[in-house]
Amino acid sequence: RELNTAYETEGLALDFWTGFDSTWKEPGKYFDQPSVVNRSLMKPCSDTNLYNDLLMSAYLSASGDTTGVVVQPDGKVVANCPGDGYFWLAPSCRSDPTKCVLYLTGGGGYGLSEVLQKATKWNIPLAFGVALTWGDFTTLPTVHKSMFYWWVPDPTFLEMSPVKSMFPAHDRAAWQRGDLSTDPVGTFIGIVVSNDLSTLAPR
């Protein structure tokens, strides 16, 4: 019901990729800004897969986002994380981080390749950051209005009743080419929205 109200009043369907398209709306205003996240609970980009040459080279090849990466003197491709180096910003909010949608993940950067490609392809103004520890990853989405990584059947965030963000139907040929901008196959959940949608997209 709240999703329908948000769509009817502001055109925001926060369970579909179109609701985050910054070409038409400013979804970032419904989420916490990356600047408010305690950096002591986060990994700098340099300590995550955002500095993995193989993954970031694949992202660059698939997206063509030359300003989202930095080619180091040795030829390795790493993420361009502006400011204090804790968040990668999608092209649609790179010039103004206050318009970014906070996105939190864990490990070395669970879901990195898929999330970065989707944010770039579908004009989602995303700020991608990695929690320092597993405990931080499981706690941060409960205290910040954010999108976050999740998978099933993991029970970690079940009490939050997270809502999966839907993307265009799985394109097998595209995925085989390294284009991950459509939904994955099966029941995997990679990008979800905080449960309090009535707050995130009020009437």
Side-chain angles (χ1 to χ4, degrees):
R1 183 175 62 183
E2 294 298 339
L3 286 173
N4 290 336
T5 301
Y7 181 78
E8 291 169 0
T9 56
E10 295 194 60
L12 284 177
L14 295 180
D15 53 347
F16 284 89
W17 81 97
T18 52
F20 291 92
D21 188 337
S22 63
T23 304
W24 312 107
K25 298 290 183 179
E26 294 185 14
K29 66 184 178 181
Y30 299 107
F31 295 83
D32 287 349
Q33 295 181 11
S35 61
V36 305
V37 181
N38 187 337
R39 291 329 195 235
S40 69
L41 306 178
M42 302 293 293
K43 292 180 180 179
C45 292
S46 58
D47 291 344
T48 73
N49 284 335
L50 287 163
Y51 267 52
N52 181 302
D53 173 56
L54 181 63
L55 294 179
M56 295 311 299
S57 292
Y59 166 74
L60 175 61
S61 177
S63 69
D65 178 22
T66 57
T67 61
V69 301
V70 174
V71 181
Q72 298 183 320
D74 61 2
K76 291 183 178 179
V77 179
V78 301
N80 177 16
C81 297
D84 59 10
Y86 279 84
F87 283 90
W88 175 88
L89 307 181
S92 53
C93 69
R94 196 166 290 154
S95 62
D96 186 357
T98 66
K99 296 185 181 300
C100 287
V101 171
L102 177 63
Y103 182 92
L104 300 165
T105 187
Y110 302 140
L112 179 150
S113 298
E114 185 181 344
V115 174
L116 266 58
Q117 283 197 38
K118 282 177 164 58
T120 300
K121 172 75 172 183
W122 305 116
N123 298 312
I124 301 174
L126 207 69
F128 181 101
V130 183
L132 181 63
T133 68
W134 174 258
D136 296 326
F137 169 53
T138 61
T139 300
L140 284 168
T142 69
V143 298
H144 288 293
K145 295 177 182 178
S146 67
M147 300 182 77
F148 55 94
Y149 179 90
W150 190 47
W151 64 95
V152 291
D154 179 74
T156 302
F157 297 112
L158 281 177
E159 291 186 1
M160 295 178 66
S161 300
V163 178
K164 180 183 178 182
S165 292
M166 304 295 292
F167 288 88
H170 179 71
D171 185 332
R172 180 180 179 184
W175 274 68
Q176 290 177 338
R177 297 194 305 269
D179 178 348
L180 312 181
S181 62
T182 57
D183 255 342
V185 68
T187 58
F188 169 84
I189 296 178
I191 305 174
V192 293
V193 185
S194 300
N195 65 311
D196 194 1
L197 290 173
S198 61
T199 298
L200 298 181
R203 298 185 182 186

mmCIF file of all heavy atoms in Angstrom, residues 105-121:
data_model
loop_
_atom_site.group_PDB
_atom_site.id
_atom_site.type_symbol
_atom_site.label_atom_id
_atom_site.label_comp_id
_atom_site.label_asym_id
_atom_site.label_seq_id
_atom_site.Cartn_x
_atom_site.Cartn_y
_atom_site.Cartn_z
ATOM 1 N N THR A 105 27.216 -2.679 1.992
ATOM 2 C CA THR A 105 27.477 -4.093 1.782
ATOM 3 C C THR A 105 28.591 -4.531 2.724
ATOM 4 O O THR A 105 29.101 -3.729 3.516
ATOM 5 C CB THR A 105 27.814 -4.383 0.313
ATOM 6 O OG1 THR A 105 27.898 -5.799 0.116
ATOM 7 C CG2 THR A 105 29.131 -3.744 -0.101
ATOM 8 N N GLY A 106 28.955 -5.807 2.659
ATOM 9 C CA GLY A 106 29.955 -6.334 3.576
ATOM 10 C C GLY A 106 31.035 -7.120 2.864
ATOM 11 O O GLY A 106 31.155 -7.081 1.637
ATOM 12 N N GLY A 107 31.811 -7.869 3.647
ATOM 13 C CA GLY A 107 32.899 -8.655 3.090
ATOM 14 C C GLY A 107 33.905 -7.789 2.376
ATOM 15 O O GLY A 107 34.300 -6.729 2.851
ATOM 16 N N GLY A 108 34.301 -8.237 1.181
ATOM 17 C CA GLY A 108 35.193 -7.430 0.352
ATOM 18 C C GLY A 108 34.417 -6.488 -0.540
ATOM 19 O O GLY A 108 34.990 -5.668 -1.251
ATOM 20 N N GLY A 109 33.074 -6.628 -0.493
ATOM 21 C CA GLY A 109 32.187 -5.822 -1.342
ATOM 22 C C GLY A 109 31.207 -6.735 -2.042
ATOM 23 O O GLY A 109 31.188 -6.824 -3.274
ATOM 24 N N TYR A 110 30.389 -7.444 -1.240
ATOM 25 C CA TYR A 110 29.415 -8.366 -1.816
ATOM 26 C C TYR A 110 28.608 -7.683 -2.916
ATOM 27 O O TYR A 110 28.108 -6.583 -2.757
ATOM 28 C CB TYR A 110 28.432 -8.861 -0.755
ATOM 29 C CG TYR A 110 29.027 -9.567 0.429
ATOM 30 C CD1 TYR A 110 28.527 -9.340 1.709
ATOM 31 C CD2 TYR A 110 30.063 -10.478 0.290
ATOM 32 C CE1 TYR A 110 29.049 -10.002 2.817
ATOM 33 C CE2 TYR A 110 30.595 -11.142 1.386
ATOM 34 C CZ TYR A 110 30.080 -10.898 2.655
ATOM 35 O OH TYR A 110 30.594 -11.546 3.752
ATOM 36 N N GLY A 111 28.467 -8.377 -4.045
ATOM 37 C CA GLY A 111 27.627 -7.881 -5.129
ATOM 38 C C GLY A 111 28.206 -6.731 -5.924
ATOM 39 O O GLY A 111 27.508 -6.127 -6.736
ATOM 40 N N LEU A 112 29.467 -6.431 -5.723
ATOM 41 C CA LEU A 112 30.074 -5.233 -6.314
ATOM 42 C C LEU A 112 29.846 -5.118 -7.810
ATOM 43 O O LEU A 112 29.345 -4.094 -8.293
ATOM 44 C CB LEU A 112 31.575 -5.202 -5.990
ATOM 45 C CG LEU A 112 32.407 -4.045 -6.530
ATOM 46 C CD1 LEU A 112 33.568 -3.748 -5.576
ATOM 47 C CD2 LEU A 112 32.974 -4.351 -7.915
ATOM 48 N N SER A 113 30.198 -6.127 -8.556
ATOM 49 C CA SER A 113 30.136 -6.030 -10.017
ATOM 50 C C SER A 113 28.725 -5.737 -10.505
ATOM 51 O O SER A 113 28.508 -4.857 -11.351
ATOM 52 C CB SER A 113 30.642 -7.324 -10.657
ATOM 53 O OG SER A 113 32.001 -7.552 -10.324
ATOM 54 N N GLU A 114 27.779 -6.466 -9.947
ATOM 55 C CA GLU A 114 26.388 -6.305 -10.370
ATOM 56 C C GLU A 114 25.833 -4.941 -9.961
ATOM 57 O O GLU A 114 25.170 -4.254 -10.758
ATOM 58 C CB GLU A 114 25.539 -7.418 -9.766
ATOM 59 C CG GLU A 114 24.105 -7.408 -10.231
ATOM 60 C CD GLU A 114 23.284 -8.512 -9.580
ATOM 61 O OE1 GLU A 114 23.884 -9.460 -9.020
ATOM 62 O OE2 GLU A 114 22.055 -8.409 -9.631
ATOM 63 N N VAL A 115 26.094 -4.542 -8.723
ATOM 64 C CA VAL A 115 25.530 -3.292 -8.212
ATOM 65 C C VAL A 115 26.087 -2.082 -8.955
ATOM 66 O O VAL A 115 25.347 -1.173 -9.349
ATOM 67 C CB VAL A 115 25.782 -3.165 -6.699
ATOM 68 C CG1 VAL A 115 25.326 -1.798 -6.192
ATOM 69 C CG2 VAL A 115 25.063 -4.279 -5.943
ATOM 70 N N LEU A 116 27.386 -2.054 -9.167
ATOM 71 C CA LEU A 116 27.987 -0.913 -9.869
ATOM 72 C C LEU A 116 27.457 -0.800 -11.290
ATOM 73 O O LEU A 116 27.137 0.294 -11.765
ATOM 74 C CB LEU A 116 29.511 -1.035 -9.874
ATOM 75 C CG LEU A 116 30.256 -0.315 -8.735
ATOM 76 C CD1 LEU A 116 29.780 -0.805 -7.364
ATOM 77 C CD2 LEU A 116 31.767 -0.487 -8.869
ATOM 78 N N GLN A 117 27.364 -1.933 -11.971
ATOM 79 C CA GLN A 117 26.850 -1.892 -13.346
ATOM 80 C C GLN A 117 25.401 -1.428 -13.393
ATOM 81 O O GLN A 117 25.025 -0.614 -14.246
ATOM 82 C CB GLN A 117 26.972 -3.267 -13.998
ATOM 83 C CG GLN A 117 28.371 -3.624 -14.446
ATOM 84 C CD GLN A 117 28.362 -4.776 -15.429
ATOM 85 O OE1 GLN A 117 27.486 -4.880 -16.282
ATOM 86 N NE2 GLN A 117 29.347 -5.646 -15.331
ATOM 87 N N LYS A 118 24.574 -1.927 -12.482
ATOM 88 C CA LYS A 118 23.173 -1.529 -12.477
ATOM 89 C C LYS A 118 23.026 -0.038 -12.176
ATOM 90 O O LYS A 118 22.212 0.653 -12.799
ATOM 91 C CB LYS A 118 22.399 -2.364 -11.449
ATOM 92 C CG LYS A 118 22.071 -3.779 -11.927
ATOM 93 C CD LYS A 118 21.375 -4.571 -10.842
ATOM 94 C CE LYS A 118 20.696 -5.827 -11.390
ATOM 95 N NZ LYS A 118 21.595 -6.756 -12.076
ATOM 96 N N ALA A 119 23.780 0.459 -11.213
ATOM 97 C CA ALA A 119 23.698 1.876 -10.864
ATOM 98 C C ALA A 119 24.056 2.750 -12.051
ATOM 99 O O ALA A 119 23.401 3.767 -12.314
ATOM 100 C CB ALA A 119 24.616 2.175 -9.683
ATOM 101 N N THR A 120 25.075 2.360 -12.780
ATOM 102 C CA THR A 120 25.525 3.153 -13.922
ATOM 103 C C THR A 120 24.551 3.045 -15.094
ATOM 104 O O THR A 120 24.171 4.047 -15.701
ATOM 105 C CB THR A 120 26.929 2.706 -14.353
ATOM 106 O OG1 THR A 120 27.835 2.898 -13.252
ATOM 107 C CG2 THR A 120 27.418 3.502 -15.545
ATOM 108 N N LYS A 121 24.123 1.831 -15.404
ATOM 109 C CA LYS A 121 23.232 1.610 -16.537
ATOM 110 C C LYS A 121 21.886 2.304 -16.368
ATOM 111 O O LYS A 121 21.349 2.903 -17.310
ATOM 112 C CB LYS A 121 23.008 0.100 -16.708
ATOM 113 C CG LYS A 121 21.951 -0.289 -17.731
ATOM 114 C CD LYS A 121 22.418 -0.114 -19.151
ATOM 115 C CE LYS A 121 21.416 -0.695 -20.132
ATOM 116 N NZ LYS A 121 21.892 -0.606 -21.533
#
